[in-house]
Amino acid sequence: MRDITISEIRRGYLKDLAAQERRVDGRGLEEFRPVTITTDYIGTAEGSSKVTFGASEVVSGVKLGIAAPYPDQAASGVMMTNVELRPLAAHLFELGPPRPPQIELSRVVDRAIRESKAIELQKLCVKEGEKVWMVFIDGIITNHGGNLFDLFTLGSIAALMTSRVPAKAQGLGEDYKLPIQHRPIAITSWKLGDQILVDATLEEELVADARLTVATNESEELVAMQKGGDGSFSREEVEAAFERSAKIGRDLRKQLEHATGA
Amino acid sequence: MGGLSVDPTTFFRSDGKRVSGRAVDELRPVKIEAHVLENAPGSCYLEWGKNKIVAAVFGPRECHPRHQQRQDRAVVRATYNMNAFSVEDRKRPGLDRRSQEISKVVSEALAAVVLTAPFPRTAIDVYMEVLQADAGTRCAALTAAAVAVADAGIPMTELVAAVASGKVGGTVVLDLDKYEDNAGEADLPMGITSRTHRVVLMQMDGNFTTEQYHQALDYNFAAAGVLHEKQRDALRSRYQTVAARQPQEGGAEAEDPGASSEEE
C-alpha cells in the first residue's frame, strides 16, 4: 500500500456520494461495470479466459496433469486454485511470496468452485488410488480495478467450462471436454457507511468498511461466503447479500453461458 | 556438430521455406499495442507469433530496499515472469533461476537507453508477464518493455528491440519458433537500439561457424529495424488516439484528476 492512499477528503466524498445512492462513475449501487468474457485466450492452456469488469482484468488458465489422489478420496480428481496479484496490476502489489490478501483471494475462489462441485472430480479418476487428473486453475490479475473475488471466480469458471482433458498426450484415449456440472458465480457486497454496493472500483474498495462475498450456483443455492474488512454487517444485510448475489448472479451467469457457448 | 546429422526436411520444405512457411530471414507476425493497462503509467501488449506478453512500468518512484538506491541515478529493475499456464507443462509460480537471469539482462539492456541521471535515488520498475510462450519470450519481453517505458513518458535516448537468430538443420534462421527452438543447434538473442544501433543485450548458446555468426548478426540487425518501426507505430498511434479523443472529453471530466495516468 505504498502509492495508493486515499485522502480523508476523498474518503468522505465517496461515502457522502454513497449515502445519496450515487457513485463517482455514475453507476447505481447495484450496477456492474461493463463485463467482457473472452474464452480460448491462451493456446498453451487446456482452457482459458480473459474477464474484465471495467478496468479490472484477469487472465485465467486451466492446466491438467496426472497426480496421485488424496488417500481419503482415492477415486477423485484433485483441484487447485491460485491467483497471482502481479506487481504490474497496481502500485500496491510488490514482488515476493504470496501475501495474505492473495492467499485469501485464491482460497475464496477455490471454495466457490470446489464447494459448488463445479468440476465432476469423480470423473477424473484414471486408476483408483494411484492416478487421477489434477486440475490447476491459475489466474493473473493484470489490472486491479477492484472487485477481484467476483472477477476471478468468473474467470475461473469460464476457463473451466472451455477446458479439454488432454488424455491423448497421456496415452489415455481421446481428449474430451472437462466435465463441469455447476456454474458458481460470486457477488461481493461492499459496505460504505450504511450503504451497500456491488462491483466496487479499487478506490471504493479502499474506502469500504467491510465486504461480503457470496457465491451461488445456478439453482441459486449458497455455496461459499467470505466476509472481510474491519466493519460489520447486520442480520438483515447478510440476508440481503445472499438475495443480491443470486439476483445479479443470474445476469452474469447468462453472460457466462453466452460466452462459453454452454 | 554443424547439424549434418539432422535431416533438413525436418525443418525445411522442398521450396526452401521453413515448416511454418516462413523464409529463413522472416519474422513471425508481430503486433504491438501501447498503453493497455489503466493503473500502470506505461504499459504494452505484444503478440509475437504465439507469444503473448504484457509489460508495465512504474516510476521513477521511491526505491526500496534503500540499499539498491544509487546516489547519482535511477535504478532500472525489470522482472520477467512466466505464468503457470503459459507453457505446455504447468510452470510452478515464482521466480526461478532462468527468470532471474533474464530479468537481470533485460534490466541492463533498458538501463542502457533510459536517462536515469535526472532521477537519483529512485527506481524504475518494469514488469513483464509472459501469458503464452512459444520461444523467443525474452526478446518479446524486452521489445514490449521498451514500449512500456516510452509510454510511461520516461526519457530515453532511443528505443530498444530484441530478436534472436538460431540454427536448425545446419541452416541459420531468424526468429525460431517453439518447434524449431526445441531442436535448435544455436540461439543468438540480441537487443539492439533504434538510433545508434548499439547492442545492449546479447546471449548465445550452441554452435556457430564464423560465417553462420555473421549471417545471424545480419538477420538480427535487419529484423531489429523492422521491430523498431513497429514500436514507433504503436507509440504514435497511442498518442494519435489520445489527441483525437481530447476535445470532447473536457466537459465530462467528473472523474478525479488523480485517477488519470496521462501526465506527459
Side-chain angles (χ1 to χ4, degrees):
Chain A
M1 295 277 266
R2 259 194 295 158
D3 291 330
I4 298 190
T5 47
I6 281 208
S7 68
E8 283 305 311
I9 291 177
R10 187 74 186 163
R11 187 180 294 272
Y13 175 60
L14 284 167
K15 286 202 170 171
D16 287 349
L17 270 185
Q20 301 162 39
E21 302 190 14
R22 292 168 62 208
R23 300 169 81 167
V24 170
D25 53 16
R27 277 186 292 156
L29 296 184
E30 301 210 347
E31 191 180 335
F32 256 66
R33 290 167 287 183
V35 174
T36 68
I37 306 171
T38 311
T39 56
D40 303 309
Y41 185 66
I42 301 294
T44 41
E46 269 74 74
S48 59
S49 69
K50 176 175 168 175
V51 173
T52 65
F53 296 169
S56 270
E57 198 175 290
V58 66
V59 178
S60 310
V62 171
K63 296 289 292 180
L64 268 75
I66 295 286
Y70 288 117
D72 59 342
Q73 292 181 351
S76 176
V78 180
M79 64 166 281
M80 202 217 72
T81 313
N82 181 56
V83 69
E84 299 273 316
L85 303 181
R86 298 301 305 168
L88 56 56
H91 289 278
L92 70 174
F93 302 152
E94 290 173 32
L95 288 170
R99 284 164 208 226
Q102 171 174 341
I103 293 167
E104 184 188 26
L105 175 56
S106 295
R107 288 183 56 83
V108 171
V109 174
D110 186 274
R111 251 182 356 249
I113 306 285
R114 188 184 301 275
E115 299 306 321
S116 67
K117 301 189 167 45
I119 310 171
E120 289 183 83
L121 289 173
Q122 69 283 359
K123 285 195 181 166
L124 295 178
C125 178
V126 178
K127 185 149 191 246
E128 191 172 334
E130 284 178 28
K131 272 181 163 181
V132 298
W133 286 104
M134 173 131 193
V135 183
F136 296 96
I137 307 165
D138 284 283
I140 78 153
I141 306 295
T142 46
N143 198 75
H144 185 354
N147 201 24
L148 301 183
F149 289 92
D150 303 5
L151 183 76
F152 184 42
T153 305
L154 188 58
S156 297
I157 191 71
L160 287 168
M161 286 169 72
T162 52
S163 289
R164 295 190 65 78
V165 179
K168 208 167 176 182
Q170 299 283 351
L172 297 169
E174 289 302 308
D175 293 356
Y176 55 95
K177 224 173 159 301
L178 184 68
I180 301 297
Q181 57 185 355
H182 294 298
R183 291 153 197 174
I185 299 278
I187 301 292
T188 301
S189 293
W190 300 85
K191 189 166 178 183
L192 271 77
D194 293 326
Q195 293 288 351
I196 306 281
L197 49 84
V198 301
D199 191 27
T201 61
L202 179 54
E203 197 179 42
E204 287 169 336
E205 200 171 293
L206 293 170
V207 169
D209 305 298
R211 62 173 149 79
L212 181 61
T213 303
V214 179
T216 61
N217 62 17
E218 64 283 352
S219 310
E220 297 182 10
E221 296 159 335
L222 264 176
V223 295
M225 292 208 281
Q226 180 89 341
K227 184 256 174 189
D230 297 341
S232 61
F233 290 96
S234 68
R235 155 102 195 228
E236 290 70 31
E237 284 169 340
V238 300
E239 285 176 2
F242 173 38
E243 282 155 30
R244 185 179 300 115
S245 174
K247 180 171 132 254
I248 299 172
R250 222 173 288 154
D251 296 335
L252 272 192
R253 199 172 287 108
K254 261 189 218 129
Q255 282 199 56
L256 169 73
E257 285 161 1
H258 181 74
T260 55
Chain B
M1 299 290 283
L4 289 178
S5 54
V6 180
D7 176 8
T9 60
T10 321
F11 299 105
F12 298 98
R13 312 187 312 200
S14 53
D15 61 359
K17 294 257 175 88
R18 293 145 80 175
V19 171
S20 58
R22 283 189 287 151
V24 286
D25 61 349
E26 191 177 340
L27 275 172
R28 287 172 283 181
V30 176
K31 201 184 93 187
I32 308 178
E33 198 183 336
H35 210 74
V36 292
L37 302 177
E38 183 169 295
N39 291 336
S43 58
C44 174
Y45 174 71
L46 182 146
E47 280 183 15
W48 183 324
K50 287 186 205 154
N51 291 306
K52 292 183 179 175
I53 315 276
V54 53
V57 174
F58 291 88
R61 63 182 177 184
E62 192 183 342
C63 177
H64 51 165
R66 298 244 319 248
H67 66 81
Q68 288 185 356
Q69 285 184 6
R70 299 284 296 266
Q71 294 309 304
D72 58 345
R73 73 189 74 167
V75 290
V76 178
R77 301 187 297 196
T79 307
Y80 166 100
N81 181 55
M82 223 167 193
N83 284 286
F85 46 73
S86 65
V87 279
E88 272 319 306
D89 293 314
R90 177 178 184 267
K91 185 196 165 292
R92 269 192 71 214
L95 285 184
D96 51 15
R97 289 164 66 87
R98 174 179 172 276
S99 303
Q100 292 191 49
E101 184 201 343
I102 294 175
S103 299
K104 179 173 184 291
V105 295
V106 168
S107 299
E108 290 160 352
L110 290 170
V113 293
V114 172
L115 289 174
T116 54
F119 314 106
R121 294 182 294 280
T122 64
I124 295 168
D125 289 314
V126 181
Y127 303 109
M128 297 159 287
E129 297 291 331
V130 179
L131 300 176
Q132 185 173 311
D134 190 67
T137 54
R138 79 191 61 193
C139 293
L142 175 54
T143 305
V147 173
V149 173
D151 178 46
I154 295 169
M156 304 165 83
T157 55
E158 52 193 316
L159 285 167
V160 54
V163 62
S165 285
K167 185 166 71 171
V168 288
T171 304
V172 178
V173 296
L174 175 70
D175 187 23
L176 279 69
D177 57 30
K178 184 97 209 140
Y179 171 73
E180 293 168 328
D181 190 51
N182 284 344
E185 295 138 40
D187 187 26
L188 174 70
M190 289 171 72
I192 299 168
T193 66
S194 59
R195 194 167 49 80
T196 57
H197 312 295
R198 290 178 295 149
V199 175
V200 292
L201 178 145
M202 190 159 186
Q203 299 180 295
M204 193 264 170
D205 55 65
N207 173 288
F208 273 142
T209 64
T210 313
E211 293 73 34
Q212 287 167 343
Y213 177 48
H214 288 282
Q215 181 69 76
L217 288 175
D218 284 348
Y219 285 167
N220 282 352
F221 272 91
V226 174
L227 291 166
H228 294 140
E229 212 36 63
K230 288 183 191 284
Q231 289 177 307
R232 284 190 201 103
D233 285 347
L235 288 162
R236 240 182 248 131
S237 69
R238 138 101 167 114
Y239 285 98
Q240 276 159 358
T241 328
V242 172
R245 235 181 13 219
Q246 219 86 69
Q248 60 264 43
E249 243 182 32
E253 256 312 317
E255 269 280 356
D256 69 313
S260 157
S261 54
E262 282 153 28
E263 60 256 3
E264 265 78 53

